[in-house]
Amino acid sequence: MAELTVKNLEKKASTISLRRKPRWGETIIQGLLFFSGFFSIFITLGIVYELGKEALLFFQMPGVDLLATLTTTEWKPHVNKFGIWPLLTSTLMTTLIAMAIAIPLGMGVAVYLSEYAIPKVRSTLKPILEILAGIPTIVYGYFALTFMTPLLREIFGKDVVQIYNTGSAGLVMGILILPLISSMTEDALSAVPRSLREAAYAMGATKLEVALQIVVPAALSGIAAAIIVGISRAVGETMIVAVAAGAGPNFTFSPFIGAETITGHIVRISGGDLSYDSIDYNSIFALGLFLFIITLVLNIISQAIVRRFREVYE
Amino acid sequence: MSLNWALSLSYSINPDYTYMKSELTWQEFIITRAIKASGYSAIVFVALIFFFLLREGLPTLGEVSFSNLVSTRWYPIEDYFGIVPLITGSLIVTIGAALVAIPFGIGTAIYIAEIAPRWMREILKPLVELLGGLPSVVLGFLGILVFSPWLRVFLDLPTGLTALTGSLLLGGIAVPTVVSVAEDALDTVPRSYREGAWALGATKWQTIWRVTLPAARSGVLTGVMLGVGRAIGETMAVMMVTGNAPVLALSLGSLFSPVRTMTATIAAEMGEVASGSVHYHTLFFIGLVLFLISLAVNVAASAVVFRSKKRAERILS
């Protein structure tokens, strides 16, 4: 904007042309931005193509049947039993437990940071929260196995809680997801215009009433999006469940029993020696595709929610 | 909606004012305390994990001599516990990932928020979020099977499992987080700021670079921190594609050779060590070092955010 000073303008006034000047630098920059936007489309399509291609090979193998995969409850690749439910229920268990921790705490953190905390407290708490997002997932995994599990065994009894269990994996996963949810929710809360708060204060509402009954409902679409992102991260989380949730598919709804999740199964299978084109190898892609579909469905739901509850200000 | 609520509140006020008020404040007291407590719960969790790492990792300092720890040889079977090659491995992969994720992520966010027409936005935003939800184990597996062979042929390397492969893959994993948070931040910049800049004759790019981006700086940096944080903490994908050779990575050339990161070392070796052994403690010590590194990065970044935010506010208010 340096050329916009009065002096420059006066100098240029005699020669000025009203036709739009081509700005090559800006055209290039916009082209680059356009390219980086489109790159993500290509990557996503590439991933879908690759997963779909290999998963198709799996379902074409003898002894594999899509219907049986979706309806039976035994996953035993050695005897050609590929029922996805035992992997799915444990994924569901860990995700549910994680969200039971992360949603209430995340909301609390976000409301506190956006509505209550003075700037100084906020500037300390936010980086600390983001540290939680940066701790290696493998450390979380062993935190679950050697800290949370003994704690659960102490509380519920050693006969009830197995060494590997979905409960401790889910609890620790909740801690991992907490910063993601709280930081996205806080962004949504602080985007609510100040005038809404002031109107409520003027009507005599207390601080808590303003926070919970004005600001939170107004930011509902952002909060819903945060929760969905959190869920899809929990579904895809790998290392914690691979370490702490146990190996071996197990059709159970008890949080105290070891059960392998979809991601945990992929890790265990891919860690071993796999021959190319074996049935195990191809099953990994089918499971990957399955995870992708879950994520896709969650995204569609979140889009619908955001559109339904979106409130426009200004 | 909010006005309706406020009206209904004023109707419901009980004539017995003192009774109403004391009950309300009593409830409020509890809920407010609960909100405050959960606000501080983050500190409890960080402290808990820090304490856990200290408990498991600190004994190393007594068991392994300091000169051994800072040596350049990691070969635990013969008691060589030099963690320097692991640190350089992590650094080179993470810096590479940040160099991919930051320009790409912010560029995509700017494109989606400022330049793309509305219909394009409706397609791009969900797609990026979908990419962010993809499990890293799936991406890592695709990295081994598709990306690293391609990179090996393309760059004519002896192996495709290199620091560069890890950087690019991790960068790709971090991009959606950066885009999602940064785009939200750009989106909340009031339209009047842009209109003011346009009225002064600024071009679209000048508006983006000098008005919108500085105004959204804090949110953009949060996105970068969350994305890079995910890259630092990512274990599985890195272990799959970086080749896992504990070699000292100091020159630019080591970008094209296998490296081993700290997280991959912990993940690969933890399953095979005896609990309480020297090796076990050293692996947790590595976790502790990693924790301290990400703490330092976070504190430094938030210091930058706070300074620049004040400056942006001064300019724009």
Side-chain angles (χ1 to χ4, degrees), chain A residues 1 4 23 26 29 33-34 36-37 41 108-109 112 123 130-131 136-137 142 146 206 213 239 285 291-292, chain B residues 5 28 36 38 40 52 107-108 111 115 124 127 134 145 200 203 205 210 222 233 235 270 290 295 306:
Chain A
M1 276 182 266
L4 283 174
R23 289 173 178 269
E26 293 205 0
I29 289 169
L33 293 175
F34 179 79
S36 63
I41 293 191
V109 171
Y112 179 69
S123 68
E130 277 155 19
I131 290 170
T137 48
Y142 283 96
T146 61
T206 62
Q213 297 180 42
M239 227 47 221
F285 287 99
L291 281 175
F292 179 82
Chain B
W5 169 80
E28 285 214 342
K36 255 191 193 155
S38 64
Y40 284 97
F52 161 77
T108 309
Y111 180 73
I115 298 172
L124 271 175
L127 212 60
L134 271 178
L145 290 169
L200 287 170
T203 63
W205 172 247
R210 309 205 184 171
T222 304
T235 311
M270 190 67 95
L290 201 52
L295 185 78
F306 259 82

Side-chain angles (χ1 to χ4, degrees), chain B residues 68-82:
Chain B
N68 190 355
L69 266 182
V70 296
S71 71
T72 57
R73 187 154 181 217
W74 175 260
Y75 199 66
I77 297 169
E78 291 185 3
D79 288 337
Y80 289 105
F81 292 111

Side-chain angles (χ1 to χ4, degrees), chain A residues 24-232:
Chain A
W24 298 115
E26 293 205 0
T27 317
I28 292 170
I29 289 169
Q30 289 209 7
L32 281 178
L33 293 175
F34 179 79
F35 169 74
S36 63
F38 266 74
F39 201 61
S40 55
I41 293 191
F42 287 128
I43 290 181
T44 312
L45 291 182
I47 290 171
V48 173
Y49 169 75
E50 196 62 36
L51 280 179
K53 195 181 74 181
E54 304 279 339
L56 204 64
L57 284 179
F58 172 69
F59 286 113
Q60 280 168 351
M61 294 195 109
V64 184
D65 171 29
L66 181 61
L67 193 70
T69 299
L70 292 179
T71 50
T72 57
T73 57
E74 269 185 301
W75 180 276
K76 288 175 182 162
H78 303 296
V79 289
N80 270 357
K81 283 188 175 165
F82 292 99
I84 198 148
W85 280 101
L87 299 176
L88 207 57
T89 49
S90 46
T91 300
L92 209 69
M93 285 303 299
T94 49
T95 306
L96 275 181
I97 296 168
M99 295 328 274
I101 297 286
I103 293 178
L105 273 182
M107 295 293 127
V109 171
V111 170
Y112 179 69
L113 284 182
S114 126
E115 307 296 315
Y116 286 88
I118 54 171
K120 199 175 167 195
V121 173
R122 200 164 165 256
S123 68
T124 340
L125 272 180
K126 252 199 128 161
I128 290 180
L129 258 177
E130 277 155 19
I131 290 170
L132 278 178
I135 292 173
T137 48
I138 181 72
V139 169
Y140 277 114
Y142 283 96
F143 181 68
L145 186 65
T146 61
F147 187 91
M148 201 56 97
T149 303
L151 198 70
L152 287 182
R153 281 169 74 106
E154 202 70 23
I155 296 171
F156 294 103
K158 291 196 171 157
D159 320 323
V160 186
V161 186
Q162 291 185 354
I163 290 184
Y164 294 103
N165 61 73
T166 48
S168 67
L171 287 175
V172 173
M173 203 194 278
I175 300 179
L176 168 77
I177 291 165
L178 171 69
L180 195 67
I181 290 192
S182 66
S183 133
M184 284 182 74
T185 304
E186 201 227 324
D187 283 348
L189 292 180
S190 39
V192 173
R194 212 181 142 67
S195 55
L196 281 189
R197 294 189 182 88
E198 281 166 354
Y201 284 133
M203 304 296 284
T206 62
K207 194 155 193 165
L208 181 74
E209 285 165 342
V210 172
L212 293 187
Q213 297 180 42
I214 302 291
V215 184
V216 169
L220 209 56
S221 87
I223 295 173
I227 290 174
I228 300 278
V229 169
I231 292 177
S232 57

Side-chain angles (χ1 to χ4, degrees), chain B:
Chain B
M1 180 197 68
S2 50
L3 273 180
N4 278 344
W5 169 80
L7 281 175
S8 70
L9 178 84
S10 60
Y11 288 133
S12 69
I13 285 178
N14 198 304
D16 193 353
Y17 179 73
T18 44
Y19 167 70
M20 238 340 251
K21 187 171 181 192
S22 68
E23 191 190 47
L24 208 65
T25 45
W26 182 75
Q27 275 181 344
E28 285 214 342
F29 181 77
I30 295 207
I31 301 176
T32 312
R33 278 305 115 99
I35 289 174
K36 255 191 193 155
S38 64
Y40 284 97
S41 68
I43 294 183
V44 175
F45 290 136
V46 171
L48 216 58
I49 289 173
F50 187 58
F51 167 74
F52 161 77
L53 284 173
L54 281 181
R55 192 189 70 185
E56 305 285 338
L58 223 48
T60 300
L61 290 179
E63 292 160 355
V64 182
S65 71
F66 187 69
S67 57
N68 190 355
L69 266 182
V70 296
S71 71
T72 57
R73 187 154 181 217
W74 175 260
Y75 199 66
I77 297 169
E78 291 185 3
D79 288 337
Y80 289 105
F81 292 111
I83 59 172
V84 177
L86 311 177
I87 295 179
T88 57
S90 269
L91 278 184
I92 196 168
V93 172
T94 308
I95 291 173
L99 287 181
V100 173
I102 293 173
F104 241 109
I106 296 181
T108 309
I110 290 175
Y111 180 73
I112 295 178
E114 304 291 319
I115 298 172
R118 202 180 163 71
W119 60 269
M120 179 83 76
R121 222 188 121 144
E122 304 270 297
I123 301 173
L124 271 175
K125 189 93 201 281
L127 212 60
V128 168
E129 270 157 18
L130 184 65
L131 203 59
L134 271 178
S136 47
V137 63
V138 173
L139 293 175
F141 204 62
L142 287 172
I144 290 188
L145 290 169
V146 183
F147 187 51
S148 76
W150 179 80
L151 209 64
R152 180 176 60 82
V153 175
F154 184 69
L155 295 175
D156 195 22
L157 298 170
T159 168
L161 303 176
T162 62
L164 183 70
T165 325
S167 293
L168 293 176
L169 192 72
L170 270 192
I173 290 175
V175 161
T177 313
V178 179
V179 174
S180 190
V181 180
E183 200 266 344
D184 283 345
L186 289 172
D187 210 34
T188 52
V189 174
R191 207 180 147 69
S192 52
Y193 286 18
R194 295 185 191 98
E195 282 166 354
W198 290 333
L200 287 170
T203 63
K204 199 159 193 171
W205 172 247
Q206 287 168 334
T207 311
I208 292 170
W209 188 244
R210 309 205 184 171
V211 176
T212 322
L213 212 52
R217 204 163 194 156
S218 134
V220 170
L221 267 149
T222 304
V224 169
M225 285 327 294
L226 284 176
V228 174
R230 190 169 171 194
I232 294 175
E234 179 52 55
T235 311
M236 205 56 218
V238 167
M239 192 163 89
M240 285 166 139
V241 300
T242 50
N244 293 334
V247 218
L248 197 61
L250 288 179
S251 66
L252 210 61
S254 42
L255 205 55
F256 301 104
S257 58
V259 294
R260 170 183 278 213
T261 65
M262 299 159 92
T263 50
T265 307
I266 302 175
E269 295 176 10
M270 190 67 95
E272 286 151 21
V273 297
S275 175
S277 65
V278 179
H279 190 182
Y280 173 88
H281 286 147
T282 311
L283 289 179
F284 275 105
F285 184 73
I286 294 173
L288 188 64
V289 172
L290 201 52
F291 180 88
L292 292 176
I293 291 176
S294 64
L295 185 78
V297 171
N298 264 291
V299 168
S302 75
V304 173
V305 177
F306 259 82
R307 217 178 44 211
S308 51
K309 195 179 169 194
K310 272 181 198 149
R311 186 165 158 266
E313 278 171 353
R314 204 167 55 230
I315 294 169
L316 291 164
S317 61

